Amino acid sequence: MTMLKDIGTSGASAIMERSRPEPRSAVETTERTRNLKYALFLLPSVILICCVMLYPLGYALYSSLFNYDLGSGIHELIGLDNYATLLGEARFWAALGRTCLIVACAVTSEFFIGLFVAYGLYQLVRGGRVLSLLMFLPHIVTPVVAALFLRWIFMGRWGLLSSILISLNIFPPDWLGDPSWARFTVVVADIWQFTPFIILVLLAALNTVDESLIEAAKLDGAGHWTLLFRIMVPSVWPMIAFVLVIRVMDAFRSFDNIYVLTAGGPGTATETLTMYTYTTAFKLLKIGKASALGVLTLIFVGLVALAVIMVLSRLNRGRGKSVI
């Protein structure tokens, strides 16, 4: 009995030892070692981000404080004079207005075309995947190659589109020479190239909608319009916010299409902020002013993206969901 009692006592003490928590110092050491491993895994990505993103941004901020002219070799500190000059310049505000006009027309058209096409592909029983892949081809093409292809289509009277219209006894406008038609052509080029991206994202979002909601709406007699805008669109607000913010930010920095199609012309009819920055930096060689222009563009794009998120959040507030 005494031996059994001793065995029982020792067993209980062994169990208590196992269940006793480790010393605090040992736990902290383990967590510190784990965090160090995670930090080592993240280190290459952090270094790459610093080299590719943070360093150029910091250098642009630094250069924007100088009167840095490559042509004359001037490099003197002037503080915020570059920003004051740009904000008081009519050409800057005109370029900003043209940029907002082109972005608004392009992104709005891309969203509604992409939404309707995505809904049509969603309704297809067969061939939807093949069609979506074929529609995505314009987005895969290199932007400069796509712009050259579009320039060949819209070129004067010898372009493909003008030749077709002339063969039908329709006198075409000067697509790239008339200011209004040049802006229209730039918008069409952006729509042609980037609508497939919106189609693909929205199609993936529509496929995540709960089937029970769709079936219940159909039983209640909902048509396609009601089904799309009352059931499906409210269910994918976060993805809509994502795709709109991405496209707005991308459209503001669009350069390839405009440079190849019109080079900012005729005159300054299609000179956006990115084209103005290019002209200031690489033609006028005013690096300090161009850097300030790039910083102002970045700030404005951030404010526009924030405004889009806030508007969509307010529209979605009554549904109890967040778009971010």
Side-chain angles (χ1 to χ4, degrees), residues 156-157 161-167 169-175 181:
R157 296 187 180 183
L161 181 59
S162 296
S163 299
I164 294 174
L165 292 176
I166 290 173
S167 66
N169 294 323
I170 299 175
F171 188 77
D174 190 356
W175 303 104
W181 284 108

Side-chain angles (χ1 to χ4, degrees), residues 46-63:
V46 172
I47 294 174
L48 181 63
I49 290 174
C50 290
C51 293
V52 175
M53 296 179 59
L54 297 183
Y55 174 74
L57 177 59
Y59 187 74
L61 288 170
Y62 173 78
S63 299

Side-chain angles (χ1 to χ4, degrees), residues 110-111 114-115 118 197-207 236 239-240 243:
E110 289 164 12
F111 173 72
L115 180 63
F197 168 73
I198 295 183
I199 293 173
L200 196 66
V201 175
L202 292 183
L203 178 60
L206 294 180
N207 283 320
V236 296
M239 192 59 68
I240 290 175
V243 75

Side-chain angles (χ1 to χ4, degrees), residues 33-206:
T33 304
R34 188 183 300 115
N35 291 336
L36 181 60
K37 291 180 180 179
Y38 293 156
L40 290 176
F41 277 114
L42 290 173
L43 185 60
S45 300
V46 172
I47 294 174
L48 181 63
I49 290 174
C50 290
C51 293
V52 175
M53 296 179 59
L54 297 183
Y55 174 74
L57 177 59
Y59 187 74
L61 288 170
Y62 173 78
S63 299
S64 67
L65 303 177
F66 287 82
N67 179 18
Y68 186 10
D69 193 328
L70 285 179
S72 61
I74 297 175
H75 191 275
E76 57 182 4
L77 180 65
I78 57 174
L80 300 177
D81 285 358
N82 283 324
Y83 295 96
T85 301
L86 285 170
L87 293 176
E89 197 174 65
R91 185 176 179 180
F92 168 78
W93 293 108
L96 178 60
R98 283 188 292 268
T99 304
C100 292
L101 176 64
I102 291 173
V103 170
C105 294
V107 174
T108 302
S109 302
E110 289 164 12
F111 173 72
F112 283 105
I113 294 173
L115 180 63
F116 292 135
V117 174
Y119 180 71
L121 292 173
Y122 174 83
Q123 294 291 336
L124 284 179
V125 178
R126 295 180 180 179
R129 292 184 178 180
V130 176
L131 286 175
S132 61
L133 288 175
L134 291 176
M135 289 181 180
F136 195 67
L137 288 178
H139 191 67
I140 299 175
V141 179
T142 305
V144 173
V145 176
L148 287 171
F149 174 70
L150 291 169
R151 182 176 175 83
W152 177 68
I153 292 177
F154 289 102
M155 185 184 299
R157 296 187 180 183
W158 308 107
L160 179 62
L161 181 59
S162 296
S163 299
I164 294 174
L165 292 176
I166 290 173
S167 66
L168 298 174
N169 294 323
I170 299 175
F171 188 77
D174 190 356
W175 303 104
L176 302 178
D178 182 83
S180 299
W181 284 108
R183 284 190 287 267
F184 171 79
T185 304
V186 169
V187 171
V188 169
D190 197 87
I191 292 172
W192 177 80
Q193 188 169 9
F194 294 103
T195 300
F197 168 73
I198 295 183
I199 293 173
L200 196 66
V201 175
L202 292 183
L203 178 60
L206 294 180

Side-chain angles (χ1 to χ4, degrees), residues 10 14 25 67 69 100 104 210 213 252 258 294:
S10 61
S25 59
N67 179 18
D69 193 328
C100 292
D210 191 355
L213 294 176
F252 264 98
I258 298 174

